[in-house]
Amino acid sequence: MSRQRSSSCSTSMDAPSAEPTRRRTARIGLRLLAAAAAGTVCVCLSTVPAAASDTQPVVSRGVTIPTFYNPPSELPSANGALVRTEPMSLGLSIPGLDGRPMPGTATRLMYKSTDSNGQPVAVTGTYIEPSAAWKKSGPRPLVAMASGTMGQGDQCAPSYSLEHPLTLTGDTMSVGYEALAVYRILATGAAVVLTDYVGLGTTDRLHTYVNRVDEGHALLDAARAARAVPGASVTSSSATGLYGYSQGGGASAAAAELQSSYAPDVPLAGTYAGAPPADLTATMKGIDGSALAGALAWSVNGFAQADPDLRAVVDANISDTGRAALADASTMCVGDALFGYGFTSSKKWTKSGKSLSEVIAADPRAQAALDKQRIGTLKPAGPVRVATGVQDDIVPHAQARQLAVDWCRKGGNVTYDAINLPNLGDKILTNHMVPLITDQGDAISWLTDRLAGEAVTSNCWTMPLQP
């Protein structure tokens, strides 16, 4: 069954009726979100907005989303509590000599979290029990992984990409590029749980792209949920690491800040935050006009859904062309955005011809909404490693470095690593993506040492000497 979904939070931003049918998605109308604010909390269950039917599939850009991703109308009250699980096949897997698949056995999961407005929300993801043994000290640890940017359409969900490493149709293209990091972590003997974030995969709302609270909560609750997965060897005493690059780096950084207040029961041993978008004002300027310009639309869509003040600013300033672009982008994956909106200036999307950054800077309400997303205002829990490419012009190097400075000033145990590579091309993603690969081995090695209980000393004293 196909269902049309709104492409943002208000009816004034719906896609025009002339939009080609193949561009339309079949997600529930986001006006149901208004009902979420009135959700009632019971002794054991919380009411949440639900898809029209738990059993009716949703279609996004020609891809049928499994009904597993349709949230139920009620959720458990505890954050991190499992809603449902099912066995899941990995798209890149081989039989092991002992009969177990390599690199591990995967389980798809849905669990309960709390969004930035304090409302219950269902989140999906994947837990992978590794075939490899953990040979370092202590019980098998867990790495809660936050994916880099995948898109905003449900077919882009990281858990779906682990099962379908390449989704390529006439309407959408998604590549599961995080599989390399996932499999390298599994090879160490650590278990992995990968979150889909709020609204990515689940069919009841838009993905709230780079919303620090939504992402941080979803990642921490994934770690909680992993302990209850049938057959999982990790327990509440398993050392837990957080891992993420780009959008994932922002999510892991946010989770490290929120752990002490939101999830003190998660025994956090270390956090890797690669290329974190800690300052969205600076990051929006980096993305605008770049190959990944479509990510601006994902940001605006997500924040307009979650923040009424920003929604009002968007409604007042976005042109008809901009509304159509936001609607279109709301069901896109990274591949679609690169081809559809690569190198687009956001000036084309506003009534005034000003960039989205200029529009936001001119409105105190909008700027305040972005300021609330700033990472670096709280001391992170446990040791953290911040890595950033000095030539990164998509998630700008300077703002990522500033995150390390801010954490150092708050007394955090910070390992800062500036990745010094030549300029590999302006605004074409190479300066942002190459460090993802070149730093991956060091990042996993550093995190593995933390999971094994090895101490690390902050290198904050080197900050004046590092770019």
Side-chain angles (χ1 to χ4, degrees), residues 352-378:
S352 64
K354 295 180 179 179
S355 69
L356 284 172
S357 294
E358 291 173 319
V359 168
I360 289 172
D363 193 299
R365 297 171 299 169
Q367 190 59 57
L370 282 196
D371 288 345
K372 288 190 296 185
Q373 300 300 324
R374 182 70 177 263
I375 306 171
T377 63
L378 301 170

Side-chain angles (χ1 to χ4, degrees), residues 102-386:
M102 296 177 63
T105 303
T107 301
R108 196 184 335 264
L109 57 149
M110 179 182 287
Y111 59 94
K112 186 259 185 179
S113 189
T114 297
D115 69 16
S116 56
N117 290 318
Q119 297 300 313
V121 61
V123 182
T124 51
T126 300
Y127 171 80
I128 308 176
E129 179 75 14
S131 302
W134 173 251
K135 297 180 179 179
K136 292 182 178 287
S137 61
R140 188 189 300 279
L142 173 70
V143 174
M145 184 168 177
S147 174
T149 297
M150 297 296 291
Q152 201 161 45
D154 288 330
Q155 77 280 11
C156 322
S159 65
Y160 189 81
S161 73
L162 283 177
E163 189 171 24
H164 305 278
L166 177 63
T167 299
L168 183 61
T169 70
D171 295 317
T172 192
M173 182 177 75
S174 180
V175 178
Y177 62 88
E178 289 287 19
L180 177 60
V182 171
Y183 287 22
R184 290 179 77 170
I185 294 170
L186 291 170
T188 71
V192 172
V193 63
L194 177 71
T195 182
D196 287 340
Y197 300 123
V198 172
L200 190 55
T202 48
T203 56
D204 61 335
R205 64 178 71 197
L206 277 172
H207 169 41
T208 45
Y209 183 68
V210 296
N211 181 309
R212 70 174 183 89
V213 175
D214 280 11
E215 291 180 336
H217 286 183
L219 188 59
L220 291 167
D221 286 327
R224 286 166 157 161
R227 308 167 185 167
V229 172
S233 59
V234 295
T235 69
S236 58
S237 62
S238 295
T240 302
L242 306 178
Y243 183 101
Y245 186 90
S246 191
Q247 179 187 4
S252 63
E257 289 191 343
L258 296 169
Q259 183 268 349
S260 60
S261 61
Y262 182 76
D265 57 303
V266 174
L268 190 54
T271 297
Y272 166 64
D279 181 348
L280 295 187
T281 300
T283 302
M284 287 181 69
K285 294 176 181 178
I287 292 174
D288 203 343
S290 75
L292 197 59
L296 275 179
W298 300 331
S299 301
V300 171
N301 282 337
F303 288 126
Q305 175 180 250
D307 193 307
D309 285 340
L310 188 52
R311 180 163 65 248
V313 174
V314 170
D315 282 340
N317 288 277
I318 294 295
S319 64
D320 289 343
T321 298
R323 295 181 201 281
L326 295 182
D328 191 26
S330 71
T331 59
M332 283 184 164
C333 298
V334 168
D336 314 329
L338 292 176
F339 289 111
Y341 295 104
F343 306 106
T344 297
S345 170
S346 65
K347 293 178 180 179
K348 296 180 179 180
W349 296 346
T350 63
K351 294 177 181 177
S352 64
K354 295 180 179 179
S355 69
L356 284 172
S357 294
E358 291 173 319
V359 168
I360 289 172
D363 193 299
R365 297 171 299 169
Q367 190 59 57
L370 282 196
D371 288 345
K372 288 190 296 185
Q373 300 300 324
R374 182 70 177 263
I375 306 171
T377 63
L378 301 170
K379 180 182 177 181
V384 293
R385 181 175 183 269
V386 178

Side-chain angles (χ1 to χ4, degrees), residues 4-8 10-25 61 318-330 341:
Q4 176 73 33
R5 80 139 193 225
S6 296
S7 299
S8 77
S10 66
T11 55
S12 64
M13 292 171 63
D14 287 350
S17 59
E19 184 185 14
T21 301
R22 70 181 182 86
R23 288 292 196 189
R24 296 180 185 178
T25 185
R61 288 186 176 259
I318 294 295
S319 64
D320 289 343
T321 298
R323 295 181 201 281
L326 295 182
D328 191 26
S330 71
Y341 295 104

